[in-house]
């Protein structure tokens, strides 16, 4: 559900240089981070698809049924910005700029109230 929401926001009809999507993961889950890596890669195809076919519901759940090739998450643990919208190489398959996508992992610790960490 999180990946669908992120991709829906990225596909929103708004100038990508003015749009940034931030996901704050309080648990610092490797699974959530891996899902965001897949979403970043998939967005390069999904965003042009939405524009080309004027997809009303930009959630890819109906289209996104097969698993992608696994990525070694350990190589990416230090990465926070998955897509840097300021990078001229951050483009989709049609050469259009992509919006910024940032993953934030915040580990919960028992000695701190997590409601006050944001």
């Amino acid at each position: 559900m999180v990946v669908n929401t992120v991709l829906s926001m990225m596909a929103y009809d708004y100038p990508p240089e003015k749009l940034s999507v931030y996901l704050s993961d309080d648990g610092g889950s490797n699974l959530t981070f891996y899902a965001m890596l897949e979403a970043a890669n998939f967005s390069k195809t999904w965003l042009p698809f939405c524009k080309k076919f004027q997809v009303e519901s930009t959630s890819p759940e109906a289209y996104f049924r097969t698993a992608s090739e696994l990525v070694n998450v350990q190589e990416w643990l230090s990465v926070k910005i998955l897509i840097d919208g300021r990078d001229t190489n951050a483009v989709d398959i049609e050469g259009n700029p992509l919006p910024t996508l940032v993953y934030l992992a915040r580990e919960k610790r028992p000695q701190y109230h997590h409601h006050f960490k944001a």
Side-chain angles (χ1 to χ4, degrees):
M1 181 183 271
V2 172
V3 170
N4 284 306
T5 303
V6 167
L7 288 168
S8 292
M9 292 298 301
M10 292 177 71
Y12 190 69
D13 187 20
Y14 198 76
E17 64 275 1
K18 294 182 180 183
L19 179 65
S20 296
V21 179
Y22 289 80
L23 174 70
S24 179
D25 181 10
D26 287 342
S29 167
N30 285 342
L31 182 61
T32 303
F33 181 72
Y34 174 72
M36 288 301 98
L37 282 175
E38 290 297 315
N41 290 328
F42 183 64
S43 70
K44 295 175 184 177
T45 303
W46 178 247
L47 301 183
F49 179 83
C50 288
K51 289 177 187 171
K52 182 176 182 178
F53 295 104
Q54 299 175 347
V55 175
E56 290 292 323
S57 173
T58 54
S59 173
E61 186 172 0
Y63 302 97
F64 193 39
R65 298 285 182 201
T66 60
S68 296
E69 182 179 330
L70 294 176
V71 174
N72 183 356
V73 176
Q74 294 300 323
E75 295 175 11
W76 295 95
L77 285 178
S78 63
V79 175
K80 297 284 188 244
I81 299 176
L82 300 179
I83 298 175
D84 187 351
R86 300 169 296 177
D87 183 2
T88 57
N89 294 323
V91 294
D92 62 26
I93 60 172
E94 294 180 350
N96 300 315
L98 290 168
T100 300
L101 176 60
V102 179
Y103 173 82
L104 301 171
R106 300 184 310 156
E107 179 184 354
K108 290 183 182 179
R109 294 194 179 134
Q111 64 268 30
Y112 298 106
H113 298 289
H114 70 279
H115 299 289
F116 304 107
K117 289 174 62 176

